[in-house]
């Protein structure tokens, strides 16, 4: 299976959740056993030689491929969650969205200094959520941060908000 075939399996839902948004529904990738395996294999090939010690998934669609990939990489998995969900002491990062602000949190004992972290989410739009997650993970002084998305909406230029210390990759790209 090639990337174009993976792309065909993403369901597009026009005007969801609000008019003007072309919502990329990844559940149509995950429900198919063959595609789910293919996706996991593609991700594994991308990161198998990077020395990743932990995969950090962003709530909630980063909680699907994140643990699958962590398992394949023989790495740990840590959740980056919305406020009030994690039970122990947290670090947090607040960031601006189109309307208002949002906060994400991670447990203070989730990462040791010098670890190599792969941050994963389903989709890169403006990059605001993931940029906040990178800032959050930097509090732990990791050796290196990799950032991964299944889907990248290139016209929103989300990758431009990341500096060159972060290696960002996506699997399926939409030009418009
Ligand atoms: P952003 O912070 O703008 O990069 O937004 C990324 C988050 O919003 C991801 O967690 C996505 O799941 C979600 N998201 C934004 N735009 C879309 C879209 N067109 N289709 C599906 N999910 C989206």
């Amino acid at each position: 299976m090639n990337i174009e075939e993976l792309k065909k399996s993403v369901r597009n839902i026009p005007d969801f959740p609000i008019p003007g948004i072309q919502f990329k529904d990844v559940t149509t990738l995950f429900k198919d056993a063959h595609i789910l395996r293919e996706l996991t294999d593609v991700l594994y090939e991308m990161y198998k030689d990077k020395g990743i010690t932990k995969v950090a998934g962003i709530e909630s669609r980063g909680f699907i491929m994140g643990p699958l990939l962590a398992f394949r990489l023989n790495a740990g998995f840590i959740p980056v969650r919305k406020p009030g969900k994690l039970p122990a002491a947290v670090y947090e990062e607040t960031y601006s969205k189109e309307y208002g602000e949002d906060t994400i949190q991670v447990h203070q004992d989730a990462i040791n200094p010098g670890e190599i972290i792969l941050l994963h989410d389903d989709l890169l739009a403006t990059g605001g959520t993931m940029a906040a997650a990178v800032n959050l993970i930097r509090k732990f002084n990791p050796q290196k941060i990799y950032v991964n998305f299944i889907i990248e909406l290139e016209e929103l230029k989300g990758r431009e908000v990341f500096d060159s210390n972060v290696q960002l990759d996506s699997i399926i790209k939409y030009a418009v």
Side-chain angles (χ1 to χ4, degrees), residues 6-26:
L6 279 179
K7 197 172 187 174
K8 279 188 207 139
S9 300
V10 177
R11 173 162 54 194
N12 187 77
I13 304 186
D15 300 319
F16 181 88
I18 54 169
I21 299 291
Q22 299 291 327
F23 191 87
K24 305 297 180 212
D25 178 15
V26 285

Side-chain angles (χ1 to χ4, degrees), residues 72-96:
R72 287 289 300 276
L73 292 171
N74 208 18
F77 175 79
I78 55 171
V80 175
R81 298 207 66 178
K82 291 163 186 162
K85 304 281 189 184
L86 292 170
V90 294
Y91 292 129
E92 65 180 30
E93 186 76 22
T94 297
Y95 60 102
S96 302

Side-chain angles (χ1 to χ4, degrees), residues 4-145:
E4 276 310 306
E5 283 175 89
L6 279 179
K7 197 172 187 174
K8 279 188 207 139
S9 300
V10 177
R11 173 162 54 194
N12 187 77
I13 304 186
D15 300 319
F16 181 88
I18 54 169
I21 299 291
Q22 299 291 327
F23 191 87
K24 305 297 180 212
D25 178 15
V26 285
T27 67
T28 46
L29 293 172
F30 302 152
K31 75 173 181 180
D32 183 305
H34 181 60
I35 294 170
L36 183 61
R37 175 173 287 277
E38 182 70 20
L39 202 51
T40 314
D41 289 346
V42 169
L43 284 166
Y44 174 70
E45 289 299 322
M46 286 168 86
Y47 296 104
K48 65 180 182 187
D49 301 324
K50 308 291 188 199
I52 309 285
T53 55
K54 288 202 177 102
V55 178
I58 314 250
E59 185 171 1
S60 56
R61 285 187 290 265
F63 290 179
I64 300 165
M65 294 313 298
L68 280 178
L69 181 56
F71 177 74
R72 287 289 300 276
L73 292 171
N74 208 18
F77 175 79
I78 55 171
V80 175
R81 298 207 66 178
K82 291 163 186 162
K85 304 281 189 184
L86 292 170
V90 294
Y91 292 129
E92 65 180 30
E93 186 76 22
T94 297
Y95 60 102
S96 302
K97 300 225 300 185
E98 201 175 349
Y99 303 108
E101 291 187 328
D102 231 331
T103 299
I104 48 173
Q105 300 181 332
V106 65
H107 273 145
Q108 287 183 5
D109 61 358
I111 298 171
N112 299 314
E115 289 204 69
I116 301 176
I117 306 299
L118 172 58
L119 265 161
H120 167 79
D121 201 0
D122 69 326
L123 184 140
L124 172 62
T126 65
T129 313
M130 187 56 90
V134 168
N135 288 339
L136 189 55
I137 298 303
R138 281 195 170 136
K139 295 182 201 281
F140 294 92
N141 289 318
Q143 185 182 323
K144 174 88 184 161
I145 299 176

